[in-house]
Amino acid sequence: MRWSGQKLQAEQPSALPGLARLNNLVRSVQTPEFAGITFHEILAKSSLNKVPGQSAMPFGYTINPYRGCSHACVYCFARTTHEYLGLDTGKDFDSEIIVKVNVAEVLRKELAKPTWGRHPVALGSNTDPYQRAEGRYRLMPGIIAALAESRTPFSILTKGTLLRRDLDLLAEANRAVPVDLAMSIAIYDDELQQSLEPGTPSTAARLATVTAVRERGLDCAVFLMPILPFLTDTKAHLDEALRRAADAGATSVLYAPLNLRPAVKDWYLSWLGREYPSLLPQYRSLFSGGTYAAKEYRTWLAARILPLIRAHGLERGREDPATGGIRSRALSLDPLLAAELPASLTPTLF
């Protein structure tokens, strides 16, 4: 599938400044179905990204078939990735989407190299592989097939209900390699969710996707993150969120409070100033130390949510410290991979 349109030459004056410097840009496409969004199709030179690890893992690998995301989540930490092309981290991130149209073909070549060690690969730890454009470009089936055929374990974190399209393929892949799935569902107030995540499926639709995953015999974690100070951290909101996640069949829950990288902070606080101006002083105080909320707040939040997780019979899931996605079960199943972890940090199966 490709949309009709003209190839966008790098020297065209109408090209965005950063994109004009790309030597692998095929064309830029706009369509009425995606009003206000431009897709910049590129030929990727590589697909696997090696991510330096922190503490427990020496490294991790990710695949990002898209850059930028039409989910348009105001708080998205990945907004800073648009700066490398001279695009802004606000509206451009939501509406100028880079599409690696050949990502599956490149991936197959990389996985076929004798040096590839079948390390777990994470999708969705940066931008969402099941954002709306995936319905058109269909990059994920080729990626899933390539990973499974090469016996490479992988995980997917998404807000996209389009995941359901590939459940048969994922269930088949899970018979060959560990496949770990997680749905990101942070907000359980419909009005707030639409304000903060205007391009995402509804909370109810994502919970139904969790149930659909479980009905296929696959585990599915729920990422209850970010928890937004003074907006989604009330006991009532957290209790409702965990109840609904448990009812949907979630096998584990991961949580984390909001963090605000510098470029993201400006975009988020601009939204907050429009919608909840009375909270601005509290946010400025809470994040006065930088990217992360004050340690006292994080301690308070843990004391509030952990008893609720237990009360709803849920397991607390574990993040991969290198990629930020769900931790792969392969780290427990493969003694060579597990040996890379300190004994006190070796993960257990969900």
Side-chain angles (χ1 to χ4, degrees), residues 159-175:
K159 289 183 170 82
T161 55
L162 188 58
L163 175 72
R164 297 175 75 164
R165 181 199 66 193
D166 293 339
L167 283 181
D168 286 342
L169 187 58
L170 289 164
E172 181 66 25
N174 191 54
R175 287 191 273 274

Side-chain angles (χ1 to χ4, degrees), residues 47-71:
S47 62
L48 288 165
N49 309 299
K50 189 174 182 178
V51 183
Q54 300 175 14
S55 65
M57 274 290 287
F59 57 82
Y61 286 90
T62 64
I63 300 172
N64 298 302
Y66 304 94
R67 281 190 177 270
C69 187
S70 60
H71 286 337

Side-chain angles (χ1 to χ4, degrees), residues 283-345:
Y283 266 81
R284 291 195 175 108
S285 174
L286 191 62
F287 288 92
S288 61
T291 298
Y292 298 98
K295 183 178 179 180
E296 294 79 9
Y297 176 83
R298 287 178 276 144
T299 301
W300 171 86
L301 181 61
R304 167 162 286 189
I305 194 170
L306 291 176
L308 292 174
I309 291 174
R310 291 192 294 269
H312 287 281
L314 291 163
E315 295 289 331
R316 185 181 176 189
R318 303 182 71 181
E319 263 186 293
D320 184 313
T323 67
I326 190 75
R327 188 190 292 265
S328 173
R329 287 175 295 137
L331 296 175
S332 297
L333 300 173
D334 188 327
L336 294 178
L337 291 172
E340 295 174 345
L341 295 171
S344 62
L345 293 173

Side-chain angles (χ1 to χ4, degrees), residues 83 125 162 200 224 239 256 270:
E83 292 178 329
S125 60
L162 188 58
T200 60
L224 184 58
D239 188 55
S270 176

Side-chain angles (χ1 to χ4, degrees), residues 9-16:
Q9 301 293 342
E11 66 270 20
Q12 281 188 291
S14 60
L16 292 167

Side-chain angles (χ1 to χ4, degrees), residues 88-246:
D88 72 52
T89 57
K91 190 176 186 305
D92 284 352
F93 181 83
D94 303 337
S95 60
E96 305 286 346
I97 312 299
I98 313 301
V99 185
K100 301 175 184 178
V101 292
N102 65 332
V103 65
E105 295 90 333
V106 173
L107 177 62
R108 284 184 181 277
K109 293 177 182 178
E110 291 175 329
L111 297 176
K113 293 179 179 179
T115 54
W116 174 241
R118 298 191 178 96
H119 304 284
V121 173
L123 292 113
S125 60
N126 198 330
T127 52
D128 201 314
Y130 282 107
Q131 57 182 284
R132 283 183 60 214
E134 173 60 16
R136 284 284 198 164
Y137 283 99
R138 298 185 63 87
L139 302 180
M140 284 299 290
I143 292 171
I144 293 166
L147 290 167
E149 289 165 10
S150 68
R151 299 298 190 268
T152 298
F154 63 95
S155 65
I156 299 173
L157 170 61
T158 182
K159 289 183 170 82
T161 55
L162 188 58
L163 175 72
R164 297 175 75 164
R165 181 199 66 193
D166 293 339
L167 283 181
D168 286 342
L169 187 58
L170 289 164
E172 181 66 25
N174 191 54
R175 287 191 273 274
V177 294
V179 175
D180 296 278
L181 304 178
M183 183 65 60
S184 176
I185 318 175
I187 304 171
Y188 293 74
D189 174 294
D190 290 344
E191 185 176 350
L192 182 62
Q193 184 256 326
Q194 282 301 305
S195 179
L196 271 164
E197 307 171 346
T200 60
S202 68
T203 298
R206 280 181 265 173
L207 288 167
T209 302
V210 173
T211 302
V213 171
R214 298 290 290 125
E215 288 173 346
R216 299 298 177 94
L218 297 165
D219 286 355
C220 190
V222 166
F223 271 52
L224 184 58
M225 56 176 75
I227 294 174
L228 306 170
F230 319 118
L231 291 171
T232 63
D233 60 358
T234 66
K235 187 173 182 179
H237 187 276
L238 295 173
D239 188 55
E240 175 70 1
L242 293 164
R243 180 191 66 78
R244 293 178 68 182

